[in-house]
Amino acid sequence: MAEFKRFYDTFKPDHYNIYLDIDRDKKTITGKTVIKGLAEQEQISIHQKALKVSSVQLIDEPLSFKTDDKNDAINVQLPKAGPVEITIEYTAPLTDTMMGIYPSYYEVDGVKKQIIGTQFETNAARQAFPCVDEPEAKAQFDLAIKFDEQPGETILSNMPELKHENGVHYFDTTVKMSTYLIAFAFGDLQGKTTTTKSGVKVGVFATKAHKANELDFALDIAKRSIEFYEDFYQTPYPLPHSWQLALPDFSAGAMENWGLVTYREAYLVLDPDNTALTTKQLVATVIAHELAHQWFGDLVTMKWWDDLWLNESFANMMEFVAIDAIEPEWRIWENFQTSDVQAALKRDATDGVQSVHVQVNHPAEIDSLFDAAIVYAKGARMLVMARALVGDDALRKGLKNYFAAHQYSNATGADLWNALGEASGMDVESIMNSWLEQPGYPVVTAKVENGELKLTQKQFFIGDGEDKGRQWHIPLNSNYQDVPAIFKDNELSLGNYAELKSKNGNQPFRLNVVNDSHFIVKYDDTLLNDILEHDDKLDNMSKMQILQDLKLLAEGKQVSYAKVIPFLRKFAGENSVVVNSIIYDLAYDLEDFVNPGSNEENNLRKFIGQLSAKQADRLGWEPNANDSKDDQVTRRLALGGMLYAKDNDAVNTAHKIFSQYKDNLISLPADIRTLVLSNEVKNFGSDELFEKLLASYRKTSDASYKNSLCSALTDAKSESVLAKLVSHFEDSETIKPQDLRGWYRYILDNDKGQQLAWDWIRNEWQWLEDTVGGDMEFATFITVTANVFHTSERFTEFKAFFEPKLNTPGLTREIKMDTKALASRVDLIESERDAVNAELSK
Ligand code: BES
Ligand code: ZN
């Protein structure tokens, strides 16, 4: 791969005057940018992408320039190096790419409308105005925007508006910041605002397709999150306002633009009276994530994209720290355990996975760095380990110093470790570097040999893996005293097991208590039996952890998959979110081992029914205002299990509930809405029902209801219905490109629809690339395909289709990883199928 030059080396801007004239009708942008800065040499480069530059001037002198589209550049020849003021005039198209400056489409009361918004991370600011588009090139910005304005329209940006003159909106000068965090938006918006204790104005904005009360939840969470961070970071929020804006078309989930955070509608606005608790929790963590970035990412920014983890891992940890502080009853760390931890452990076990810290140059590669399971989930877990090591006091003290030292500037991972090291007096860097710089994680084997309790560490793989002798500094978190805090060698002998056990109150020996360290444990039979003999004393997290580690060991072929099944029976009937989430994850994984319509599948249905019956009975279909979080989540899982088992009672009750609500389906209680709709489609589906649900999907602006409808419709059993759905994949008036991956995955996962979806993606790859190709989500179409497939036939087809695409920038890593993951799943299923089915028939 060619070396990409950093333009900041040639030119260091410190101030931009940006004027934009945007015409929605003609779909054009006309712009003039004045950049003041220091030219380090006579030949400088400034970023641009798809800009038609008409002139470049040094104050009033025309300069000779050349645009170089391959390198996203305007190369400018200056008379001499030194301080310069360069004026660039240009035009650009306004395109539907969800990148740069782009329109979002929506409807209110049948009238089609649009909002213009921006998305610049990682490298699309250069599509809006010429700039040195690198995180280190921090400068101040004066933004002036004109557009084909209609009465009543609102415009928002990072800073407050100073004046509105001759149709031009002038915004206050920004603080020193990176280009990727500039944002603005305009259109017919509604908003609600409030003020934090410290006087920061907080607002939530959305289109008028939403009811006003749908903004309330986000406003409350945003306000309290900012108050929390100001206290936790001991550093004031640096801007006058913090706007949150929901955009109808949005490629990522949300984006931390400084002072103007943008969101998918699904992650900001919600009906406060009928939204599942888990959805509210998700929205709250997304808001807290983006607001964590206002300091960590915006005030202090990574020097280069290789330290992207510094932004994302940290924000991903802080979203849980913040929400745990402001909504302690939600026990939000459980969500971290059931989602992020599981994703990280799975992905990070495939040989060839990236480390959290990765070198990167090419712009397309930068976007492919955002591997959620690694940069977000593993990175956050790594920081959770660091937090547990140093404690919250040192973390806060360290962060305060880190912000003070690097504010309005940039930092690297080493700077963070130094700050935490100084605050705690520990060598944080060398412990954390073993996690940051190396891919993968260890399995710690604990065994009793000749009476001695011994530990060893070795890299854990699912599928083939080359053992490179990697070692980690593992925080062991044992329940036994006298076990070292950190295990960094290959082997460790802890002494006589019987003596140790009696010294520790005869409890069974455990490692990684509370599951905060990034490793799994393989106990030998003596130790595992000890643990299980005391299973009445096991807390929920421990039960979850035992299942989690067994699941991974089974996937890695270190224990038989069939051996895991009795544990599901053993721990079923629990009332805990963490235990039940992993039980059902494991149970539905077994679907891959049975053929649709076979006897084996019937056994699996029966098995899942057995796991679910007691809880389904206890909780019933009627959500209750006093239900705990455990009950709400368990109800959905258990009733889902009963429907999967085709239990007559469950099927009929869901059908009855559907009939009660048939004229107002959106008001079906959100906790059971997807189940009821999907049951109806599966068991009582008709063309009329299908048309009705699809029409509701098109019409509703409630994202969580939309999700329920998508998930129900794609459960259809009729191939002609499924084909009709696939025919809407490229019809953005029905399925927005931002939502397409969900549709594709659901239909691929339906055995009646798999062929249709698979044919579609292979035939329409070019269309897909043209539509979402510039997008960080593009590669995940491959991931979901590999996650659904599990037969050798599909594996062959998968390779035949994707291997020729291995050299596509931004797809290489994903194709390699997914090919490996799929290969190991197919192999696992073939070798374990008989044993699993024998166990299921018991
Ligand atoms: N900075 C990211 C969004 C982003 C990533 C934009 C890569 C462009 C390229 C933002 O802070 C983020 O992490 N968003 C997440 C949602 C989040 C709550 C986990 C996302 O978009 O998935
Ligand atoms: Zn983020």
Side-chain angles (χ1 to χ4, degrees), residues 121 254-256 286 289-290 293 296 308 311-316 319 370 376:
E121 191 180 13
M255 176 63 212
E256 70 268 27
V286 173
H289 175 109
E290 302 312 333
H293 277 313
F296 215 99
L308 170 74
N311 272 9
E312 297 305 343
S313 310
F314 194 85
N316 203 27
E319 67 189 61
F370 284 74
Y376 287 72

Side-chain angles (χ1 to χ4, degrees), residues 148-186:
D148 44 354
E149 193 165 348
Q150 301 296 313
E153 288 190 305
T154 305
I155 179 161
L156 306 170
S157 186
N158 307 83
M159 295 295 286
E161 186 172 327
L162 272 186
K163 57 178 183 186
H164 182 197
E165 238 172 53
N166 302 326
V168 183
H169 297 266
Y170 294 87
F171 293 91
D172 207 349
T173 313
T174 70
V175 293
K176 229 177 141 195
M177 63 187 285
S178 305
T179 47
Y180 79 92
L181 294 168
I182 296 288
F184 60 85
F186 53 82

